[in-house]
Amino acid sequence: MTHPPSAPPASPPAPAVPPAPARPAPAAPPEVPRRRTAFAEGAARLRAAARTEPGRLRIIGAVVAGLLLLLGGVTFAEISARAADADTVRGGSQPLSARAAEIYRSLADANTTAAAGFLAGAQEDPETRQRYERDIDTAAALLAEAAARSSGSAEAQRYIAVLNEALPDYTGLVETARANNRQGMPLGGAYLRYADERMQETMLSAAEALYALETERFQDDLDDARAWPWASMVTGLVVLSVLLWAQRRHYLRTNRVFNQGLLAATAATTVLLVWLVGAHAVARSALTDADENAAQSLSALYGAWTEALKARGDESITLIARGAGSESEDSYRTHMDRLAGEEGRPEGSLLDKAHALADDAEGREPVERAIEATAEWRSRHTDARALELAGEYQDSVNMVIGPEDTTGESFDAVDASLAAAVDHEQAEFTRAANDGHSALGGLRAAAVVLTLLGAVGAVLGIGRRLSEYR
Amino acid sequence: MRARGVRTMPENGPGQPAGDGRRGRRRDRRALLLAAAGLALTGSVLAGSLPPGPGHTATGRTGESGQAEHAAHTDDEPVPSAAREECQDGRDPDESYAPARIAGPAVSEIRERGQLVVGIDLNSYLWGYRSPQTGDIVGFDIDLVQAIAEDLLGPRPDIKYLAIPTDQRERAIQDGTVDMVVRTMSITCDRWERVAFSTAYFETGQQLLVPANSPIQGFDDSLDGMRVCRANGSTASKLLDAESHGAQVVGADNHLDCLVRVQLGLADALMTDDALAAGHVAQDPSMRLADEPLTRESYGVAMNLANTDLVSWVNAVLEDYRAPGPDGEPSEWRQSYDRWLARYLYDEETDPPPAPPLPQYRD
């Protein structure tokens, strides 16, 4: 720590020095007579005090103690804000973002499951039905919760309102589709296609927007929590320089090397500064870790997951449409390409990204399984599609929703692996965010205690010098 | 109400099969009576204003002789908008090649292959759809495919069904993906430019389908302010483009999607042909056909223009398909009709018995 031999007398803290209103006084207010007397009076008294050594000492003591108290307050406030941001990230905006992702996923899963169940018709597996109902229940519960919690943003509430309104319509369409289908009426297929269209065009896009919104807010909170506490650090340095200047002056005037009180105040300030920088550096790195290693992984994984769900839904809808067009097959290909890249070129695909972002073996392993299962799914889909085009409709359906060696089986493997990967990354995130939050733990209390101690030390130290003049 | 829409079909199809003779006679008498009434009406009212009523039907019922009768009908067709299309060369699009079972190159190829590849629809209830119970493809169109395949390949023929989207029917025929398309495909002059058709196997016309309690009377001013749904690129869309009667037109991918929209209250009516509308009524009995058909068109089996031997062969199959059995049992056509369509298209009380359209051949 360097200190200039001739430190200017308390130069920078001008903006925030409550106990010394005298400083700006000489710059005399122009023409307010009353004020002027009051100011002039104070200024005169100060000038008088500054002419004697005890007076100067008193002023120095007051300034140092005031600065220390200021440092305590600023640090307390700033760290409280950082801790609150970290806490918001950990307990508020990240879970909100994760929940928005879960709304999106459960809706997409419901749509996909409804299509698969519809394809099976009367032979629908009860497990499929339960899965659909679970998805709808999850989505409804999460939406209700989101409506109550989602940080009150009008935009978020708008998306939630759209979803809340569309969800019962959607389930109604699916039920109508099922009822018609069970009576052997192709109208059921038309209803399901319409339900799918509503899901894709209205609901999933609203859910996607909600997820994007919540994720953006989460990133903002994360950035806030990671910002350096500049005000505390600058104030701390100012306090330190003033203390050092006061001690140098003391040394020059008395030839005594140490004033114990001032020394204690310096020590307290130094400890606080080191603690502040250190704790924040730790919190920051933990949060950066949470962001880069977990949050970004999560975002890629959720992206991959929804693409997988959409591709699976399209696969079923293609068969349900029964040759009514090839839009769904085209859409399947688009989603599959986004998920796993074009055939033989996985670079840049969401799974590839998720794999690159996974930072440990435990995180990579499920993604690798998902990549493998996707490749298998793809090749099985090609076979199933070939069967459909060859007029072997039932064989094609069996290959998509049958019990073994089907695209459904591959999809389930992708689904399960991605769920495992998301769980892992979510745990990583929570752990890192907790680390970040707890790093700031004792700092607030320390700021108050240390600066109070410092102020007491400074006052005692100056008081000791003053007593020499009695 | 729905029966009214179908009345056009038997008009030119007099083939009342023997069998239910007594009821037939009774109806004959009534028909004659009505015919007399109709004639009286004709006498007193200007010919042009004659509504399509029972008199018309009765005339159709009287004769058994084919083409002249049919032509006469087309001539005095009372609904001007429902006029039959006439091609530029003056030919009726329904005319096809003379029936003949001669194994030319196309027929031989199918026989060597041992498999008939047919483009069908899987979304038209009663016509071509997959029964969710059995998983089988069934319907009126499918019965005809069976008959053709059995005739070409013998009993238990190997048939490959390919579901073909509407807009790809012609291409699938042209590039040889399928041997034929049997998919509620209307015979038109325009399509004759690219594909060949068999003789007609069903008569239909565009019609409005509305909920039972709808205030819509027909294709008139009662449509004003209503939303009418039709499949994109369909005959109905051409009709509505030409004259909408103040209706707001709603588009959908196919006619079944229109039914969904009407049921959900997103449209007030839909327009499609009455044969497909029968499938809609079957799926939702609360729908009814409004007024008379606006057009008259026939379904035919579409094949490659070059495969004239196959076309002739199919026409020969259709001859047998339409003909009543030797012991007076109903024709295969009628049996299939009764199995799939009669319940929804045919009202025993008011309608003449259903019969296939009469074949017309090119000279």
Side-chain angles (χ1 to χ4, degrees), chain B residues 193-216:
Chain B
E193 304 279 319
R194 294 174 299 277
V195 296
F197 284 98
S198 71
T199 52
Y201 69 89
F202 202 84
E203 281 242 323
T204 183
Q206 296 293 321
Q207 209 164 356
L208 280 170
L209 189 68
V210 298
N213 60 357
S214 169
I216 295 172

Side-chain angles (χ1 to χ4, degrees), chain A residues 111-450:
Chain A
N111 198 39
T112 300
T113 312
F118 185 92
L119 256 189
Q123 288 92 48
E124 185 181 351
D125 180 3
E127 166 60 26
T128 309
R129 178 72 186 161
Q130 282 158 19
R131 178 168 172 171
Y132 168 78
E133 277 172 359
R134 218 166 35 235
D135 283 331
I136 294 292
D137 289 349
T138 309
L142 286 172
L143 278 173
E145 201 187 305
R149 284 191 53 166
S150 83
S151 48
S153 130
E155 208 184 344
Q157 291 293 353
R158 208 163 48 240
Y159 294 132
I160 292 166
V162 166
L163 288 168
N164 263 326
E165 207 170 296
L167 188 60
D169 288 353
Y170 172 79
T171 54
L173 290 171
V174 169
E175 294 315 313
T176 313
R178 273 166 56 88
N180 276 298
N181 192 42
R182 291 196 162 213
Q183 292 184 54
M185 295 174 177
L187 185 60
Y191 263 96
L192 199 82
R193 287 204 308 278
Y194 186 65
D196 176 66
E197 194 183 304
R198 297 273 303 160
M199 176 59 90
Q200 305 272 3
E201 281 170 15
T202 312
M203 302 176 71
L204 287 186
S205 56
E208 199 167 3
L210 181 67
Y211 174 62
L213 188 73
E214 298 290 11
T215 305
E216 190 186 329
R217 179 167 314 139
F218 153 61
Q219 286 294 345
D220 284 352
D221 287 344
L222 198 60
D223 289 345
D224 287 350
R226 276 191 295 185
W228 284 103
W230 286 115
S232 310
M233 282 156 48
V234 168
T235 315
L237 285 176
V238 167
V239 170
L240 215 54
S241 2
V242 170
L243 278 168
L244 290 174
W245 170 79
Q247 282 169 95
R248 185 180 140 80
R249 181 179 183 279
H250 173 76
Y251 167 71
L252 290 176
R253 305 236 161 172
T254 63
N255 246 358
R256 270 172 290 194
V257 181
F258 295 122
N259 175 304
Q260 281 159 349
L262 287 178
L263 201 63
T266 311
T269 309
T270 310
V271 168
L272 179 58
L273 257 183
V274 171
W275 192 334
L276 177 71
V277 172
H280 198 272
V282 170
R284 198 178 144 83
S285 106
L287 289 173
T288 303
D289 182 47
D291 179 27
E292 282 171 4
N293 292 333
Q296 289 178 21
S297 284
L298 275 175
S299 151
L301 285 170
Y302 275 126
W305 207 348
T306 45
E307 291 302 328
L309 284 162
K310 282 180 171 174
R312 174 69 180 156
D314 287 335
E315 191 174 55
S316 305
I317 292 287
T318 305
L319 287 169
I320 289 167
R322 292 169 179 148
S326 58
E327 295 91 353
S328 300
E329 174 64 17
D330 295 344
S331 168
Y332 159 85
R333 239 174 262 148
T334 310
H335 294 305
M336 194 44 110
D337 286 352
R338 269 188 227 152
L339 175 64
E342 284 168 41
E343 208 94 45
R345 284 197 294 137
E347 300 82 17
S349 69
L350 284 162
L351 279 175
D352 185 55
K353 222 166 118 190
H355 187 257
L357 284 165
D359 58 317
D360 55 3
E362 220 180 312
R364 267 191 300 273
E365 194 262 333
V367 180
E368 276 157 14
R369 263 188 291 141
I371 290 174
E372 225 167 90
T374 306
E376 185 188 53
W377 174 8
R378 207 173 206 171
S379 94
R380 284 175 179 175
H381 176 88
T382 310
D383 296 348
R385 177 71 178 160
L387 281 172
E388 193 204 346
L389 289 178
E392 306 293 334
Y393 182 81
Q394 201 51 50
D395 291 345
S396 179
V397 169
N398 288 342
M399 189 134 195
V400 168
I401 58 166
E404 263 173 31
D405 300 332
T406 59
T407 62
E409 202 182 46
S410 308
F411 164 76
D412 285 344
V414 174
D415 190 54
S417 318
L418 290 176
V422 162
D423 277 353
H424 172 75
E425 297 297 343
Q426 183 65 54
E428 290 275 279
F429 177 88
T430 311
R431 194 186 44 70
N434 280 340
D435 287 354
H437 186 254
S438 57
L440 300 174
L443 191 51
R444 267 188 297 177
V448 174
V449 172
L450 284 172

Side-chain angles (χ1 to χ4, degrees), chain B residues 180-201:
Chain B
M180 57 186 65
V181 163
V182 187
R183 192 188 179 286
T184 57
M185 189 167 179
S186 295
I187 307 171
T188 67
C189 304
D190 176 54
R191 285 177 182 155
W192 259 110
E193 304 279 319
R194 294 174 299 277
V195 296
F197 284 98
S198 71
T199 52
Y201 69 89

